[in-house]
Amino acid sequence: MNILLTGGTGYIGSHTAVVLAQAGHQIVLLDNLSNSDISVLARVKALTRSHIAFVHGDVRNQELVHKVLMDHHIDAVIHFAGVKAVGESVEQPLRYYDINVGGTLSLLKAMRHARVFTLVFSSSSTVYGNPQYLPIDEDHPTRCTNPYGRSKLHVEEMLADLAAADPHWRIALLRYFNPIGAHDSGLIGEDPNDIPNNLVPYIARVAAGKLECLRVFGNDYPTPDGTGVRDYIHVVDLAEGHMAALQALARTNQSLHVYNLGTGQGYSVLEVVRAFEQASGKTIPYHIAPRRAGDIATCYAQAARAEAALGWKAQRTLQDMCASAWKFQASLVLE
Ligand code: NAD
Ligand code: UD1
């Protein structure tokens, strides 16, 4: 298949590009490089020994996207491009709606014009809000407490309306839990520009000596050790989930599908710290800090639907996630 990945040089996009190109698909990456570096392209090419086309541009540029769809005879789009920091979304809601909602709307119009009707969308477990029950299945009510989450939910609703209105569409909404880790090669991974908000990139920098000490946000949650529990999923498993979703869309008669992509297993902050210490051989200094505003105690997926419908199941362990994240981090130290 000819597949367009918007946001393709980003963290999840680049890993998905590798998985798809290695499976023989023709890949086009479109990215405005607002949160990724062009050096990723050479790395993806080196890993896959394939030709990977790159278009430097904004997903909101409908004319450009239409041209890319036509020029490359695109069969399907995976839409990663977007902004994703919860705190920033509270400060800059219009930017979040513009890029995440406006960007998707523009992409959909370009796709319809080019008669490309297959779409995989990057959604998030954040659409479930504070869980009413665990594990969280796809029928769990949705509720968002910040503009980032609401932008994802708005897009999901827009896609559901579109799927209901026009039977040409084949759309998969993938609700990711907590993607972490890196490609086994250590060549690509997650390296945020600013001080990381997320746990594992932060720990990786502490292990590398770039940050002093991890703040553990709260140890008084109703969890086994009092720290927050999340469903961490290896980014390569997640990438493979996208390929499985595309394959499933090719054989379905139904327009809209919703899948959780998680492992079904939760780990606490302190369990992740210990796993990272083991993987890296480094001590991770930490102290207990107050709870972070907006955080929930526990979140993990019911992953059965994806397994049954996509034949996909996350394979990699927390050790694999930490070891690969550390390999990538260590390669940055050497650069
Ligand atoms: P990322 O920031 O690494 O990748 C996003 C890419 O999109 C970046 O390369 C950025 O330059 C590009 N981009 C941003 N705005 C653009 C625009 N207007 N036009 C073209 N390109 C643009 O983020 P990621 O972690 O790879 O996330 C990918 C998607 O998955 C996002 O939509 C995010 O909301 C979603 N998601 C991520 C997580 C996570 O934990 N990483 C969890 C749930 C959902
Ligand atoms: C966050 C986002 C969520 C997004 C997800 C992507 C918030 C409130 N939620 O989820 O919308 O989809 O990232 O992966 O930002 N922690 C620490 N110290 C740190 C960082 C984190 O103790 O320095 C703890 C948190 O309190 C939490 C766990 O580690 O218990 C995971 O945090 P994080 O990686 O930020 O992910 P989420 O909060 O689950």
Side-chain angles (χ1 to χ4, degrees), residues 47-321:
L47 280 171
T48 59
R49 296 165 200 261
S50 325
H51 172 73
I52 310 275
F54 176 73
V55 180
H56 185 198
D58 197 298
V59 73
R60 291 166 292 181
N61 183 340
Q62 197 178 317
E63 218 171 291
L64 171 72
V65 173
H66 179 258
K67 185 172 169 4
V68 172
L69 294 170
M70 299 302 288
D71 288 355
H72 293 271
H73 307 285
I74 295 296
D75 302 300
V77 177
I78 309 183
H79 181 35
F80 297 103
V83 277
K84 58 169 187 176
V86 173
E88 189 183 65
S89 79
V90 175
E91 288 154 21
Q92 305 174 24
L94 291 186
R95 179 161 168 259
Y96 272 68
Y97 290 118
D98 185 23
I99 297 173
N100 290 358
V101 182
T104 307
L105 180 59
S106 178
L107 170 68
L108 292 171
K109 290 197 264 186
M111 287 177 70
R112 188 178 54 183
H113 189 197
R115 302 197 62 77
V116 177
F117 291 112
T118 301
L119 175 72
V120 174
F121 174 64
S122 297
S123 190
S124 168
S125 61
T126 195
V127 299
Y128 296 119
N130 198 352
Q132 294 175 12
Y133 58 83
L134 292 162
I136 304 175
D137 60 26
E138 289 84 351
D139 298 322
H140 185 288
T142 50
R143 180 176 166 272
C144 289
T145 52
N146 58 69
Y148 166 67
R150 271 192 286 274
S151 73
K152 289 290 172 192
L153 202 49
H154 288 336
V155 171
E156 285 203 1
E157 288 166 347
M158 184 161 76
L159 292 173
D161 288 340
L162 183 62
D166 182 348
H168 286 104
W169 288 91
R170 295 289 177 273
I171 299 172
L173 311 181
L174 303 185
R175 294 175 176 160
Y176 311 156
F177 280 67
N178 287 56
I180 61 168
H183 191 266
D184 273 345
S185 62
L187 273 182
I188 54 173
E190 187 176 22
D191 184 32
N193 288 336
D194 302 321
I195 293 180
N197 293 311
N198 296 120
L199 180 65
V200 169
Y202 201 104
I203 291 179
R205 286 199 195 175
V206 173
K210 293 177 176 173
L211 290 170
E212 241 169 58
C213 183
L214 172 73
R215 287 168 303 164
V216 174
F217 296 136
N219 67 348
D220 57 352
Y221 285 107
T223 62
D225 65 18
T227 66
V229 168
R230 296 291 184 275
D231 185 337
Y232 296 97
I233 175 170
H234 197 299
V235 67
V236 178
D237 277 327
L238 191 71
E240 290 170 355
H242 290 72
M243 189 160 74
L246 278 178
Q247 287 162 351
L249 287 179
R251 54 174 192 256
T252 181
N253 293 323
Q254 210 181 306
S255 289
L256 187 76
H257 300 262
V258 184
Y259 299 110
N260 284 340
L261 294 188
T263 65
Q265 160 94 48
Y267 288 102
S268 75
V269 174
L270 294 181
E271 285 175 315
V272 176
V273 168
R274 279 192 289 275
F276 208 98
E277 286 184 332
Q278 236 179 353
S280 63
K282 306 277 181 188
T283 302
I284 314 290
Y286 67 84
H287 68 267
I288 306 297
R291 290 181 178 194
R292 183 172 64 178
D295 271 0
I296 55 180
T298 305
C299 174
Y300 54 90
Q302 167 58 267
R305 184 188 285 183
E307 187 176 354
L310 307 180
W312 168 90
K313 191 173 189 293
Q315 305 289 339
R316 294 162 178 85
T317 64
L318 182 63
Q319 275 306 322
D320 298 332
M321 302 178 213

